[in-house]
Structures are given as C-alpha cells and as structure tokens.
Amino acid sequence: MSDAPETYTVEDDLHPTVLVMHASVGSGHRSAARSVQRAFEKLIAEGELPKDVRIEFLDILELGRIKFDGNNTASLFIGPTRPIYDLTWRYTFTGRLLWGGGTVWGRLMFPGLTEHVRKVKPIAVVATHITAANAAVSARMITGQDFPIISVPTDYETEGLWPHMATDLFCLATESMAETLRARKVSEERMMVTGIPVREGFARAGEAAADRAEWGLPEDKRVVLVLAGATIPKPYQHFRSIMDQALPFMHRLSHTHFVFIAGKDAEYKAHLEAEIAALGLDCITVLDYVDDMAGLMSACDLAICKSGGLVVTECVCARLPMVLLGRAYGQERVNVRMLTAAGAAMHATTAPELVSALEHLESNPQAAEALLINGSFLRRPNAATDIARAAYKLSQVPYVATDKRRKKHFVRFYWGHKPAHVR
C-alpha cells in the first residue's frame, strides 16, 4: 500500500469518513497510523463497522502552508544539538502552565487541512502526532463542525504540546501516562490505556524453528537481532558506531548468532559485510530491508535496538527481549527509563557495556526470560483494533452544545495540577 495521501472526490460526500493522520517525522508515527487504518479496514470488511465508512490516511505535512521534509527537519536535532532537543522536550509545557489547543495552527500553518475538513466533514479524526492533532483541533474550531479527535502518542510519555483540553480521547501506552494527564486535568472518561498500535503480524504466535528455517538461521544457537536499519540513517550513526566497536569481540559469544538489519542503506550493508569479512566472523547474517519483520522477530531470542516507541513496542508484542543501545534523549530517554525500571529491557551506552550484557545473557538464559516476563505487562498487540473501535464509538455520540472542548480559541493555555512525573 502506498504512503501517498489518498485524494478526495465529490463522491466521497456519500460516505462517512474517518481521517487517520500522522506527520512524516521518522517512521514511527506513520507506522502507527497505518496500523490504525488497517484495523479500521478489517473491522469494516468483517462487518463490525458499516460498509460505507471510508478511511482516509493523511500526512499533515502534505497539507501545510509551507512544504518541508519532516525527516530532514528531525535530523537537525541529532549529534551536538540533541541535548537542546532533550531540554525542549522535557521542559516545554510539562509544568503547571499547559497548552490547551487553538485555531492558531489552522490559521497560520495548515489552512489546507481546514479546507479539506470543510469538504469531507469527517465523523472522527485519529492523530498519531501532535502536529496532526493540533491541526485537527484548529480545523474543527474554524469550520464549526463536531467530530471527536483521538490522540495517540507513540511513546511512553505524553508531550506537553498535545491539545489536552480539546482531545476527546487519549489512547495511551501505560497507566503511567494516564497519571501524567490527570495532573493536566484530563478526565478519566477521556483516557484509555490501549497500548501503542503496531501491525497485526506482531501479535501472532510464531514457530521459532520454522521461522529460523525460513531465514536460514542456526537452530543450535541464540539468535540476536540487531535493528540497525532505518528510514533516516542519521539518527542511527551513534548506534552503528557502537556496533562497529563491538564487532571484534563477538567471537567471544560462541553460542550466539547475530542478524544485522541494514534496511535500504546499501552503503551501510556493504560496510558491514567488509568489516565482518576482515574480522573473519562467521556468526553474523546481514539482511537489507525486511518486509516480514514480525516473522524474523519470531525467529530470534533477543533484539539490540534503539529506544524508539514503535520499535520497542513491536519487540514487546513479538515477545522479544531487548537491549536498548545508545544514549537516549527526549521521548527516547523516557522510554529507556520506563522499560529498564520495569525490568523489561537492559540498557547499554558503550560497546564494552553491550558485550558485557550479551555475555551475561548468554551465560544466564533465565535473565532474558525475566526480561520477557517483565515486558508482558506492556504487551497489548490489539491496540490498533481497540483504538479503531473506540474512535468509531465516539463518532456515534451525539453532540453536546455546552461542551467546553468545542469553544473556539485562537490560543488557549490553562493551569494544571502539580506534575505527576518529573522528567
């Protein structure tokens, strides 16, 4: 299925439409939105939702007044500038003064979405990025329409710039996130712990032996999946550098076989293969882009990965213990803190730490089993379906004229309670 925005036609006026929106900043927000879209489509195909409901998948950045590449913009906050991003993420609207939403986003930046909403008249909007959620709030206020907005954060904490007072339902990964929103005066009926939406395949119970045979992996060793491929290579530079430093020590892990995912980065794949050949390592398989990541995860015993919200959730849903690698900033720091505090993952920031962790897990298989057990409380593989059901249910609730969330503001701030969590 193409990621290009679907186009609107006059005939679509005949169909109730749900907008599923993301922002193309990295791949996680898009992947989560696509999972929700497919969950809607499955519910429609199975007859649980009406056949005439139309699901439209939108990248909010395609509808901006100024067109820019979200991935390139995100790459500006990598390397020396990452601490600046970290400070911004942790301290912007996370105290008592909070952001409540307003028409400013639609007036200044996203009039294209406002006009689209005016024509389509959606019955609900599901947003997996703060920009999409805020633009939807603006469009609803400006057009005077009434439809529920469902906000779906794709990490394990809630950023301060979500439109707290204007969101009809927050779909959250954990109860800890709900505690954050309570301090921001979000009522109980506007929160639901669903988990982060992932593709349906990650919920399947795989057969490890069959999956290993399909990928040509050894049956008599632990298989460790190294997720080093990415849509945007730049954020993975530090991750890949640590893995390069760890390569010479991998011969010490005699009962372990590694599978490196290089993604669509042919240059990185060639670099890996050259390094492996130079070191004479026969315990590593290098793959490029993998379509069936769920099947490959089923064949593995452990993952080494960054701490992005989607990738760690996919590992949890696939029952794959993790070692999170590299220094984390912003939302990824919160993800690391939550997963390690829960005993659901280990964290390494240097090559020696990584090798030491791998040696420990190889010598003590029960340690990896403990990570898996501790991570099970986060496992919600049906999140996308639960979100789709909740969104459609909200779309059928009659409009209440006195609902303060529908009041129009250019910008809105409000005072919250003492923050539940200090970042």
Side-chain angles (χ1 to χ4, degrees):
M1 183 179 296
S2 171
D3 284 338
E6 288 84 352
T7 56
Y8 170 80
T9 63
V10 174
E11 288 76 12
D12 293 325
D13 284 334
L14 303 175
H15 300 280
T17 300
V18 176
L19 303 183
V20 179
M21 299 172 57
H22 69 102
S24 53
V25 181
S27 59
H29 307 291
R30 182 183 67 248
S31 178
R34 190 62 89 185
S35 297
V36 173
Q37 178 200 14
R38 287 170 177 161
F40 266 115
E41 291 169 347
K42 183 178 180 183
L43 292 175
I44 293 167
E46 293 176 348
E48 184 171 334
L49 299 185
K51 295 290 185 184
D52 64 340
V53 173
R54 174 178 173 269
I55 311 303
E56 184 176 358
F57 183 84
L58 289 175
D59 177 359
I60 184 60
L61 300 187
E62 294 289 332
L63 296 169
R65 188 187 297 275
I66 300 173
K67 299 295 190 295
F68 65 93
D69 190 311
N71 291 333
N72 288 339
T73 303
S75 296
L76 297 176
F77 299 99
I78 295 167
T81 59
R82 291 196 75 176
I84 298 173
Y85 170 73
D86 187 50
L87 288 171
T88 302
W89 196 88
R90 287 192 290 141
Y91 294 112
T92 301
F93 299 117
T94 59
R96 302 294 291 271
L97 179 62
L98 297 166
W99 168 245
T103 63
V104 57
W105 297 70
R107 300 285 190 197
L108 300 182
M109 296 187 291
F110 296 104
L113 176 67
T114 300
E115 290 309 306
H116 191 67
V117 164
R118 198 186 304 277
K119 290 187 289 187
V120 174
K121 299 178 177 61
I123 62 170
V125 172
V126 180
T128 63
H129 191 274
I130 57 171
T131 304
N134 278 293
V137 167
S138 291
R140 184 173 67 184
M141 289 180 176
I142 294 169
T143 62
Q145 296 181 35
D146 185 73
F147 50 83
I149 295 171
I150 296 85
S151 293
V152 186
T154 57
D155 288 287
Y156 289 85
E157 187 51 286
T158 315
E159 291 188 59
L161 282 171
W162 285 96
H164 296 92
M165 301 306 287
T167 289
D168 296 272
L169 181 66
F170 277 97
C171 294
L172 307 171
T174 65
E175 175 61 31
S176 175
M177 295 172 71
E179 196 63 24
T180 294
L181 292 182
R182 289 185 185 104
R184 297 176 183 175
K185 297 186 178 180
V186 177
S187 56
E188 296 296 325
E189 67 271 15
R190 294 196 292 125
M191 295 185 290
M192 180 178 179
V193 178
T194 59
I196 296 173
V198 298
R199 289 167 286 175
E200 187 178 22
F202 289 96
R204 74 180 181 88
E207 294 290 337
D211 287 322
R212 286 194 181 189
E214 180 179 345
W215 291 98
L217 301 174
E219 297 182 11
D220 58 344
K221 291 188 176 183
R222 282 189 335 138
V223 178
V224 175
L225 181 63
V226 183
L227 294 166
T231 303
I232 318 173
K234 195 171 181 180
Y236 275 75
Q237 287 177 349
H238 185 60
F239 181 98
R240 292 174 176 182
S241 175
I242 296 174
M243 291 307 307
D244 280 352
Q245 295 168 42
L247 281 175
F249 302 96
M250 288 185 174
H251 67 275
R252 288 160 43 176
L253 299 157
S254 57
H255 299 292
T256 300
H257 188 87
F258 293 88
V259 179
F260 277 71
I261 303 298
K264 296 179 180 179
D265 192 336
E267 183 178 347
Y268 176 61
K269 182 182 180 185
H271 162 77
L272 269 179
E273 291 172 337
E275 288 291 309
I276 291 165
L279 293 167
L281 294 171
D282 60 0
C283 60
I284 300 177
T285 298
V286 180
L287 301 175
D288 44 28
Y289 183 79
V290 172
D291 284 315
D292 184 17
M293 185 58 71
L296 181 57
M297 284 186 174
S298 175
C300 298
D301 301 295
L302 180 73
I304 301 172
C305 59
K306 277 171 52 68
S307 50
L310 257 292
V311 68
V312 300
T313 303
E314 288 174 348
C315 288
V316 166
C317 289
R319 299 182 179 88
L320 189 62
M322 292 167 280
V323 176
L324 307 176
L325 183 61
R327 291 185 178 88
Y329 298 88
Q331 68 273 24
E332 291 192 3
R333 175 181 292 192
V334 176
N335 295 344
V336 168
R337 186 180 301 164
M338 188 279 298
L339 289 164
T340 55
M346 298 178 70
H347 183 215
T349 58
T350 67
E353 286 179 336
L354 174 62
V355 174
S356 177
L358 293 173
E359 288 179 328
H360 172 71
L361 292 169
E362 183 176 83
S363 302
N364 301 277
Q366 67 274 17
E369 183 65 23
L371 295 177
L372 186 59
I373 292 170
N374 292 333
S376 63
F377 84 101
L378 294 170
R379 189 175 184 272
R380 292 182 170 87
N382 299 316
T385 300
D386 292 341
I387 292 167
R389 285 184 175 130
Y392 185 76
K393 182 178 179 180
L394 271 180
S395 76
Q396 303 304 297
V397 175
Y399 168 61
V400 178
T402 57
D403 190 341
K404 294 181 179 179
R405 293 196 300 275
R406 301 302 189 265
K407 189 175 180 180
K408 186 183 294 187
H409 306 271
F410 181 67
V411 294
R412 184 182 186 188
F413 300 95
Y414 69 102
W415 286 99
H417 299 303
K418 182 179 179 180
H421 302 125
V422 178
R423 295 181 185 176

